[in-house]
PDB file of all heavy atoms in Angstrom:
ATOM      1  N   LEU A   1      -1.544  18.083  15.047  1.00  0.00           N
ATOM      2  CA  LEU A   1      -2.051  18.266  13.685  1.00  0.00           C
ATOM      3  C   LEU A   1      -1.337  17.376  12.650  1.00  0.00           C
ATOM      4  O   LEU A   1      -2.038  16.659  11.915  1.00  0.00           O
ATOM      5  CB  LEU A   1      -2.008  19.678  13.217  1.00  0.00           C
ATOM      6  CG  LEU A   1      -2.819  20.659  13.864  1.00  0.00           C
ATOM      7  CD1 LEU A   1      -2.701  22.104  13.502  1.00  0.00           C
ATOM      8  CD2 LEU A   1      -4.300  20.287  13.782  1.00  0.00           C
ATOM      9  N   PRO A   2      -0.101  17.216  12.718  1.00  0.00           N
ATOM     10  CA  PRO A   2       0.565  16.214  11.793  1.00  0.00           C
ATOM     11  C   PRO A   2       0.174  14.840  12.171  1.00  0.00           C
ATOM     12  O   PRO A   2      -0.016  14.016  11.247  1.00  0.00           O
ATOM     13  CB  PRO A   2       2.124  16.364  11.888  1.00  0.00           C
ATOM     14  CG  PRO A   2       2.207  17.811  12.440  1.00  0.00           C
ATOM     15  CD  PRO A   2       0.951  18.123  13.241  1.00  0.00           C
ATOM     16  N   PHE A   3      -0.022  14.551  13.488  1.00  0.00           N
ATOM     17  CA  PHE A   3      -0.486  13.147  13.801  1.00  0.00           C
ATOM     18  C   PHE A   3      -1.900  12.814  13.265  1.00  0.00           C
ATOM     19  O   PHE A   3      -2.091  11.729  12.666  1.00  0.00           O
ATOM     20  CB  PHE A   3      -0.512  13.128  15.314  1.00  0.00           C
ATOM     21  CG  PHE A   3      -0.960  11.735  15.893  1.00  0.00           C
ATOM     22  CD1 PHE A   3      -0.085  10.580  15.781  1.00  0.00           C
ATOM     23  CD2 PHE A   3      -2.137  11.655  16.488  1.00  0.00           C
ATOM     24  CE1 PHE A   3      -0.622   9.340  16.282  1.00  0.00           C
ATOM     25  CE2 PHE A   3      -2.659  10.349  17.041  1.00  0.00           C
ATOM     26  CZ  PHE A   3      -1.780   9.242  16.821  1.00  0.00           C
ATOM     27  N   LEU A   4      -2.705  13.735  13.360  1.00  0.00           N
ATOM     28  CA  LEU A   4      -4.085  13.553  12.802  1.00  0.00           C
ATOM     29  C   LEU A   4      -3.980  13.438  11.278  1.00  0.00           C
ATOM     30  O   LEU A   4      -4.734  12.670  10.569  1.00  0.00           O
ATOM     31  CB  LEU A   4      -5.068  14.632  13.247  1.00  0.00           C
ATOM     32  CG  LEU A   4      -5.322  14.666  14.782  1.00  0.00           C
ATOM     33  CD1 LEU A   4      -6.101  15.878  15.124  1.00  0.00           C
ATOM     34  CD2 LEU A   4      -6.058  13.390  15.178  1.00  0.00           C
ATOM     35  N   GLY A   5      -3.200  14.346  10.690  1.00  0.00           N
ATOM     36  CA  GLY A   5      -2.891  14.319   9.234  1.00  0.00           C
ATOM     37  C   GLY A   5      -2.354  13.001   8.683  1.00  0.00           C
ATOM     38  O   GLY A   5      -2.636  12.604   7.647  1.00  0.00           O
ATOM     39  N   ALA A   6      -1.479  12.343   9.571  1.00  0.00           N
ATOM     40  CA  ALA A   6      -0.867  11.091   9.215  1.00  0.00           C
ATOM     41  C   ALA A   6      -2.109   9.898   9.057  1.00  0.00           C
ATOM     42  O   ALA A   6      -2.053   9.223   8.184  1.00  0.00           O
ATOM     43  CB  ALA A   6       0.100  10.573  10.171  1.00  0.00           C
ATOM     44  N   TRP A   7      -2.943   9.946  10.028  1.00  0.00           N
ATOM     45  CA  TRP A   7      -4.064   9.072   9.936  1.00  0.00           C
ATOM     46  C   TRP A   7      -4.970   9.380   8.782  1.00  0.00           C
ATOM     47  O   TRP A   7      -5.521   8.412   8.066  1.00  0.00           O
ATOM     48  CB  TRP A   7      -4.825   9.036  11.301  1.00  0.00           C
ATOM     49  CG  TRP A   7      -4.150   8.189  12.280  1.00  0.00           C
ATOM     50  CD1 TRP A   7      -3.224   8.695  13.188  1.00  0.00           C
ATOM     51  CD2 TRP A   7      -4.365   6.811  12.557  1.00  0.00           C
ATOM     52  NE1 TRP A   7      -2.831   7.597  14.030  1.00  0.00           N
ATOM     53  CE2 TRP A   7      -3.557   6.419  13.641  1.00  0.00           C
ATOM     54  CE3 TRP A   7      -5.158   5.866  11.977  1.00  0.00           C
ATOM     55  CZ2 TRP A   7      -3.434   5.149  14.089  1.00  0.00           C
ATOM     56  CZ3 TRP A   7      -5.129   4.576  12.391  1.00  0.00           C
ATOM     57  CH2 TRP A   7      -4.222   4.295  13.484  1.00  0.00           C
ATOM     58  N   TRP A   8      -5.167  10.586   8.523  1.00  0.00           N
ATOM     59  CA  TRP A   8      -6.067  11.047   7.462  1.00  0.00           C
ATOM     60  C   TRP A   8      -5.441  10.536   6.130  1.00  0.00           C
ATOM     61  O   TRP A   8      -6.057  10.041   5.237  1.00  0.00           O
ATOM     62  CB  TRP A   8      -6.329  12.530   7.470  1.00  0.00           C
ATOM     63  CG  TRP A   8      -7.086  13.008   6.339  1.00  0.00           C
ATOM     64  CD1 TRP A   8      -6.765  13.554   5.224  1.00  0.00           C
ATOM     65  CD2 TRP A   8      -8.599  12.773   6.175  1.00  0.00           C
ATOM     66  NE1 TRP A   8      -7.842  13.847   4.304  1.00  0.00           N
ATOM     67  CE2 TRP A   8      -8.953  13.311   4.925  1.00  0.00           C
ATOM     68  CE3 TRP A   8      -9.509  12.224   6.990  1.00  0.00           C
ATOM     69  CZ2 TRP A   8     -10.304  13.369   4.571  1.00  0.00           C
ATOM     70  CZ3 TRP A   8     -10.877  12.253   6.508  1.00  0.00           C
ATOM     71  CH2 TRP A   8     -11.222  12.861   5.246  1.00  0.00           C
ATOM     72  N   ALA A   9      -4.223  10.831   6.010  1.00  0.00           N
ATOM     73  CA  ALA A   9      -3.414  10.418   4.622  1.00  0.00           C
ATOM     74  C   ALA A   9      -3.383   8.910   4.514  1.00  0.00           C
ATOM     75  O   ALA A   9      -3.676   8.375   3.364  1.00  0.00           O
ATOM     76  CB  ALA A   9      -1.946  10.957   4.733  1.00  0.00           C
ATOM     77  N   PHE A  10      -3.318   8.174   5.555  1.00  0.00           N
ATOM     78  CA  PHE A  10      -3.395   6.678   5.457  1.00  0.00           C
ATOM     79  C   PHE A  10      -4.732   6.260   5.046  1.00  0.00           C
ATOM     80  O   PHE A  10      -4.897   5.366   4.274  1.00  0.00           O
ATOM     81  CB  PHE A  10      -3.096   6.132   6.913  1.00  0.00           C
ATOM     82  CG  PHE A  10      -2.967   4.576   6.750  1.00  0.00           C
ATOM     83  CD1 PHE A  10      -1.867   3.888   6.374  1.00  0.00           C
ATOM     84  CD2 PHE A  10      -4.143   3.886   7.290  1.00  0.00           C
ATOM     85  CE1 PHE A  10      -1.930   2.526   6.270  1.00  0.00           C
ATOM     86  CE2 PHE A  10      -4.144   2.510   7.195  1.00  0.00           C
ATOM     87  CZ  PHE A  10      -2.973   1.735   6.687  1.00  0.00           C
ATOM     88  N   LYS A  11      -5.791   6.954   5.631  1.00  0.00           N
ATOM     89  CA  LYS A  11      -7.174   6.578   5.230  1.00  0.00           C
ATOM     90  C   LYS A  11      -7.335   6.869   3.714  1.00  0.00           C
ATOM     91  O   LYS A  11      -8.106   6.183   3.016  1.00  0.00           O
ATOM     92  CB  LYS A  11      -8.163   7.502   6.005  1.00  0.00           C
ATOM     93  CG  LYS A  11      -9.564   7.298   5.728  1.00  0.00           C
ATOM     94  CD  LYS A  11     -10.408   8.257   6.611  1.00  0.00           C
ATOM     95  CE  LYS A  11     -11.903   8.199   6.007  1.00  0.00           C
ATOM     96  NZ  LYS A  11     -12.760   9.157   6.627  1.00  0.00           N
ATOM     97  N   GLN A  12      -6.706   8.071   3.189  1.00  0.00           N
ATOM     98  CA  GLN A  12      -6.798   8.363   1.701  1.00  0.00           C
ATOM     99  C   GLN A  12      -5.790   7.579   0.887  1.00  0.00           C
ATOM    100  O   GLN A  12      -5.590   7.801  -0.335  1.00  0.00           O
ATOM    101  CB  GLN A  12      -6.509   9.827   1.616  1.00  0.00           C
ATOM    102  CG  GLN A  12      -7.523  10.746   2.310  1.00  0.00           C
ATOM    103  CD  GLN A  12      -8.955  10.536   1.812  1.00  0.00           C
ATOM    104  OE1 GLN A  12      -9.189  10.487   0.615  1.00  0.00           O
ATOM    105  NE2 GLN A  12      -9.873  10.551   2.669  1.00  0.00           N
ATOM    106  N   MET A  13      -5.164   6.615   1.545  1.00  0.00           N
ATOM    107  CA  MET A  13      -4.106   5.645   0.814  1.00  0.00           C
ATOM    108  C   MET A  13      -2.938   6.503   0.245  1.00  0.00           C
ATOM    109  O   MET A  13      -2.346   6.207  -0.765  1.00  0.00           O
ATOM    110  CB  MET A  13      -4.834   4.867  -0.290  1.00  0.00           C
ATOM    111  CG  MET A  13      -5.734   3.789   0.228  1.00  0.00           C
ATOM    112  SD  MET A  13      -5.998   2.663  -1.083  1.00  0.00           S
ATOM    113  CE  MET A  13      -7.660   2.250  -0.879  1.00  0.00           C
ATOM    114  N   ASP A  14      -2.614   7.605   0.990  1.00  0.00           N
ATOM    115  CA  ASP A  14      -1.371   8.431   0.574  1.00  0.00           C
ATOM    116  C   ASP A  14      -0.279   7.933   1.597  1.00  0.00           C
ATOM    117  O   ASP A  14      -0.094   8.709   2.552  1.00  0.00           O
ATOM    118  CB  ASP A  14      -1.716   9.854   0.663  1.00  0.00           C
ATOM    119  CG  ASP A  14      -0.571  10.741   0.159  1.00  0.00           C
ATOM    120  OD1 ASP A  14       0.368  10.170  -0.339  1.00  0.00           O
ATOM    121  OD2 ASP A  14      -0.696  11.998   0.284  1.00  0.00           O
ATOM    122  N   TYR A  15       0.244   6.874   1.228  1.00  0.00           N
ATOM    123  CA  TYR A  15       1.211   6.260   2.349  1.00  0.00           C
ATOM    124  C   TYR A  15       2.404   7.105   2.580  1.00  0.00           C
ATOM    125  O   TYR A  15       2.926   7.192   3.631  1.00  0.00           O
ATOM    126  CB  TYR A  15       1.507   4.813   1.894  1.00  0.00           C
ATOM    127  CG  TYR A  15       0.266   3.989   1.659  1.00  0.00           C
ATOM    128  CD1 TYR A  15       0.049   3.164   0.540  1.00  0.00           C
ATOM    129  CD2 TYR A  15      -0.668   3.890   2.714  1.00  0.00           C
ATOM    130  CE1 TYR A  15      -0.982   2.362   0.432  1.00  0.00           C
ATOM    131  CE2 TYR A  15      -1.818   3.109   2.623  1.00  0.00           C
ATOM    132  CZ  TYR A  15      -2.003   2.371   1.478  1.00  0.00           C
ATOM    133  OH  TYR A  15      -2.998   1.562   1.366  1.00  0.00           O
ATOM    134  N   GLY A  16       2.987   7.710   1.496  1.00  0.00           N
ATOM    135  CA  GLY A  16       4.136   8.478   1.692  1.00  0.00           C
ATOM    136  C   GLY A  16       3.965   9.724   2.667  1.00  0.00           C
ATOM    137  O   GLY A  16       4.794   9.995   3.451  1.00  0.00           O
ATOM    138  N   SER A  17       2.843  10.373   2.407  1.00  0.00           N
ATOM    139  CA  SER A  17       2.396  11.491   3.256  1.00  0.00           C
ATOM    140  C   SER A  17       2.193  11.026   4.702  1.00  0.00           C
ATOM    141  O   SER A  17       2.533  11.702   5.555  1.00  0.00           O
ATOM    142  CB  SER A  17       1.276  12.227   2.626  1.00  0.00           C
ATOM    143  OG  SER A  17       0.913  13.356   3.471  1.00  0.00           O
ATOM    144  N   SER A  18       1.596   9.943   4.804  1.00  0.00           N
ATOM    145  CA  SER A  18       1.226   9.334   6.121  1.00  0.00           C
ATOM    146  C   SER A  18       2.454   9.056   6.939  1.00  0.00           C
ATOM    147  O   SER A  18       2.635   9.436   8.085  1.00  0.00           O
ATOM    148  CB  SER A  18       0.446   8.099   5.955  1.00  0.00           C
ATOM    149  OG  SER A  18       0.161   7.414   7.179  1.00  0.00           O
ATOM    150  N   ILE A  19       3.469   8.460   6.278  1.00  0.00           N
ATOM    151  CA  ILE A  19       4.759   8.277   6.950  1.00  0.00           C
ATOM    152  C   ILE A  19       5.404   9.466   7.342  1.00  0.00           C
ATOM    153  O   ILE A  19       5.930   9.705   8.441  1.00  0.00           O
ATOM    154  CB  ILE A  19       5.577   7.270   6.160  1.00  0.00           C
ATOM    155  CG1 ILE A  19       5.017   5.862   6.117  1.00  0.00           C
ATOM    156  CG2 ILE A  19       7.023   7.144   6.734  1.00  0.00           C
ATOM    157  CD1 ILE A  19       5.599   5.003   4.958  1.00  0.00           C
ATOM    158  N   ARG A  20       5.583  10.440   6.394  1.00  0.00           N
ATOM    159  CA  ARG A  20       6.240  11.794   6.765  1.00  0.00           C
ATOM    160  C   ARG A  20       5.570  12.521   7.793  1.00  0.00           C
ATOM    161  O   ARG A  20       6.183  12.968   8.779  1.00  0.00           O
ATOM    162  CB  ARG A  20       6.255  12.712   5.431  1.00  0.00           C
ATOM    163  CG  ARG A  20       7.370  12.396   4.534  1.00  0.00           C
ATOM    164  CD  ARG A  20       7.430  13.510   3.483  1.00  0.00           C
ATOM    165  NE  ARG A  20       6.151  13.844   2.878  1.00  0.00           N
ATOM    166  CZ  ARG A  20       5.655  13.112   1.758  1.00  0.00           C
ATOM    167  NH1 ARG A  20       6.279  12.137   1.364  1.00  0.00           N
ATOM    168  NH2 ARG A  20       4.485  13.557   1.305  1.00  0.00           N
ATOM    169  N   ARG A  21       4.234  12.502   7.841  1.00  0.00           N
ATOM    170  CA  ARG A  21       3.509  13.335   8.930  1.00  0.00           C
ATOM    171  C   ARG A  21       3.621  12.636  10.129  1.00  0.00           C
ATOM    172  O   ARG A  21       3.693  13.284  11.234  1.00  0.00           O
ATOM    173  CB  ARG A  21       2.092  13.470   8.438  1.00  0.00           C
ATOM    174  CG  ARG A  21       1.871  14.446   7.336  1.00  0.00           C
ATOM    175  CD  ARG A  21       0.499  14.569   6.951  1.00  0.00           C
ATOM    176  NE  ARG A  21       0.266  15.476   5.748  1.00  0.00           N
ATOM    177  CZ  ARG A  21      -0.878  15.852   5.450  1.00  0.00           C
ATOM    178  NH1 ARG A  21      -1.987  15.247   5.833  1.00  0.00           N
ATOM    179  NH2 ARG A  21      -0.949  16.667   4.285  1.00  0.00           N
ATOM    180  N   GLY A  22       3.639  11.288  10.207  1.00  0.00           N
ATOM    181  CA  GLY A  22       3.711  10.459  11.373  1.00  0.00           C
ATOM    182  C   GLY A  22       5.226  10.730  12.136  1.00  0.00           C
ATOM    183  O   GLY A  22       5.169  10.919  13.229  1.00  0.00           O
ATOM    184  N   ILE A  23       6.193  10.804  11.207  1.00  0.00           N
ATOM    185  CA  ILE A  23       7.546  11.006  11.763  1.00  0.00           C
ATOM    186  C   ILE A  23       7.576  12.456  12.282  1.00  0.00           C
ATOM    187  O   ILE A  23       8.140  12.605  13.413  1.00  0.00           O
ATOM    188  CB  ILE A  23       8.557  10.719  10.732  1.00  0.00           C
ATOM    189  CG1 ILE A  23       8.632   9.137  10.421  1.00  0.00           C
ATOM    190  CG2 ILE A  23       9.982  11.245  11.138  1.00  0.00           C
ATOM    191  CD1 ILE A  23       9.433   8.778   9.220  1.00  0.00           C
ATOM    192  N   PHE A  24       7.091  13.409  11.649  1.00  0.00           N
ATOM    193  CA  PHE A  24       7.129  14.859  12.007  1.00  0.00           C
ATOM    194  C   PHE A  24       6.471  15.032  13.302  1.00  0.00           C
ATOM    195  O   PHE A  24       6.864  15.825  14.117  1.00  0.00           O
ATOM    196  CB  PHE A  24       6.588  15.622  10.912  1.00  0.00           C
ATOM    197  CG  PHE A  24       6.783  17.088  11.301  1.00  0.00           C
ATOM    198  CD1 PHE A  24       8.003  17.670  11.030  1.00  0.00           C
ATOM    199  CD2 PHE A  24       5.706  17.890  11.568  1.00  0.00           C
ATOM    200  CE1 PHE A  24       8.162  18.975  11.368  1.00  0.00           C
ATOM    201  CE2 PHE A  24       5.874  19.199  11.855  1.00  0.00           C
ATOM    202  CZ  PHE A  24       7.095  19.866  11.727  1.00  0.00           C
ATOM    203  N   SER A  25       5.336  14.320  13.557  1.00  0.00           N
ATOM    204  CA  SER A  25       4.572  14.415  14.879  1.00  0.00           C
ATOM    205  C   SER A  25       5.281  14.060  16.078  1.00  0.00           C
ATOM    206  O   SER A  25       5.272  14.792  17.065  1.00  0.00           O
ATOM    207  CB  SER A  25       3.239  13.567  14.705  1.00  0.00           C
ATOM    208  OG  SER A  25       3.591  12.186  14.814  1.00  0.00           O
ATOM    209  N   TRP A  26       6.051  13.046  15.975  1.00  0.00           N
ATOM    210  CA  TRP A  26       6.934  12.643  17.241  1.00  0.00           C
ATOM    211  C   TRP A  26       8.313  13.318  17.199  1.00  0.00           C
ATOM    212  O   TRP A  26       8.940  13.480  18.311  1.00  0.00           O
ATOM    213  CB  TRP A  26       7.007  11.219  17.461  1.00  0.00           C
ATOM    214  CG  TRP A  26       7.700  10.351  16.424  1.00  0.00           C
ATOM    215  CD1 TRP A  26       6.940   9.658  15.508  1.00  0.00           C
ATOM    216  CD2 TRP A  26       9.026  10.023  16.312  1.00  0.00           C
ATOM    217  NE1 TRP A  26       7.877   8.965  14.747  1.00  0.00           N
ATOM    218  CE2 TRP A  26       9.179   9.243  15.115  1.00  0.00           C
ATOM    219  CE3 TRP A  26      10.063  10.529  16.941  1.00  0.00           C
ATOM    220  CZ2 TRP A  26      10.324   8.748  14.689  1.00  0.00           C
ATOM    221  CZ3 TRP A  26      11.315   9.973  16.376  1.00  0.00           C
ATOM    222  CH2 TRP A  26      11.486   9.214  15.312  1.00  0.00           C
ATOM    223  N   PHE A  27       8.747  13.827  16.017  1.00  0.00           N
ATOM    224  CA  PHE A  27       9.979  14.498  16.029  1.00  0.00           C
ATOM    225  C   PHE A  27      10.021  15.785  16.715  1.00  0.00           C
ATOM    226  O   PHE A  27      11.027  16.193  17.410  1.00  0.00           O
ATOM    227  CB  PHE A  27      10.397  14.721  14.514  1.00  0.00           C
ATOM    228  CG  PHE A  27      11.820  15.255  14.426  1.00  0.00           C
ATOM    229  CD1 PHE A  27      12.894  14.424  14.588  1.00  0.00           C
ATOM    230  CD2 PHE A  27      12.022  16.483  13.988  1.00  0.00           C
ATOM    231  CE1 PHE A  27      14.256  14.916  14.483  1.00  0.00           C
ATOM    232  CE2 PHE A  27      13.348  17.000  13.898  1.00  0.00           C
ATOM    233  CZ  PHE A  27      14.426  16.257  14.095  1.00  0.00           C
TER     234      PHE A  27
END
């Protein structure tokens, strides 16, 4: 879910949230 959220946030140009969610997904 955070991995998909990272891509969604990037699509919405919310870059900070995209990076946080991406890190959380593999953490």
Side-chain angles (χ1 to χ4, degrees):
L1 291 178
F3 177 71
L4 296 175
W7 279 90
W8 179 259
F10 184 79
K11 179 182 171 190
Q12 299 297 320
M13 291 196 220
D14 185 5
Y15 299 133
S17 179
S18 174
I19 292 170
R20 274 191 313 277
R21 289 178 182 184
I23 290 171
F24 188 72
S25 69
W26 59 262
F27 186 72

